[in-house]
Amino acid sequence: LRGTLLGELAWQVGPDPKNQFPNTVQEVWLEVGFGAGEHLMWQAAHHPQVGMIGAEPYEMGVAKLLTKLEEMPLNTVRIHEGDGRDIIEALPDSSLGRFFLLFPDPWPKTRHHKRRFLQMEMLDQLARVLKDGAELRFATDDKSYLPYALERLMAHPAFDWLAEGPSDWKNRPADWPPTRYETKAIKGPPTFLRFRRRDRLAA
């Protein structure tokens, strides 16, 4: 049953991501590294007009999400069992309304920093696939990844930080549910970053 469900919900690379969702879907969001899928499921359930793509390379995480979808079927979820970079590279320009990267592997050793997801080259790709005004959400509990990510996001010409004060990055927004990792395995105070894709004409 689970294999059949994955087959039905597997993300297929194509020119128009909305074609893989019901006609009621008005825009598409992407979460890379969805873990056990709690956040992805919450977003899909609370935004029925949104098509949610989730990318997760670990089989255990995919299996946990499929279990949740067996219990609460949602036909607006699509799953990619692999690297989220593959999806981003294949997406057409201005095709995403929101992007989530929550508690990614920090690759703490300096020699491994090049493996971190948020590189300037990836931000170039995200700037390409995000619509004007789309939101990029990033969370981490790693003290070294936070300044690394902030430095790159602040330096990139396509993104504006939406924070107006400390509470905006210290407190999780109301429409940002906690993940299982956040409640059980977190290593320090989490930081929640929200960036907006600048309008292309104004850039």
Side-chain angles (χ1 to χ4, degrees), residues 106-117:
W107 294 104
K109 294 180 180 178
T110 302
R111 68 176 184 273
H112 292 156
H113 283 183
K114 61 181 179 292
R115 299 186 188 181
R116 288 174 169 174
F117 194 88

Side-chain angles (χ1 to χ4, degrees), residues 71-93:
E71 296 168 354
M72 189 176 79
L74 291 167
N75 65 351
T76 55
V77 172
R78 297 294 179 269
I79 300 169
H80 175 64
E81 191 174 4
D83 195 328
R85 295 174 181 87
D86 301 334
I87 296 176
I88 294 166
E89 289 173 8
L91 284 172
D93 295 356

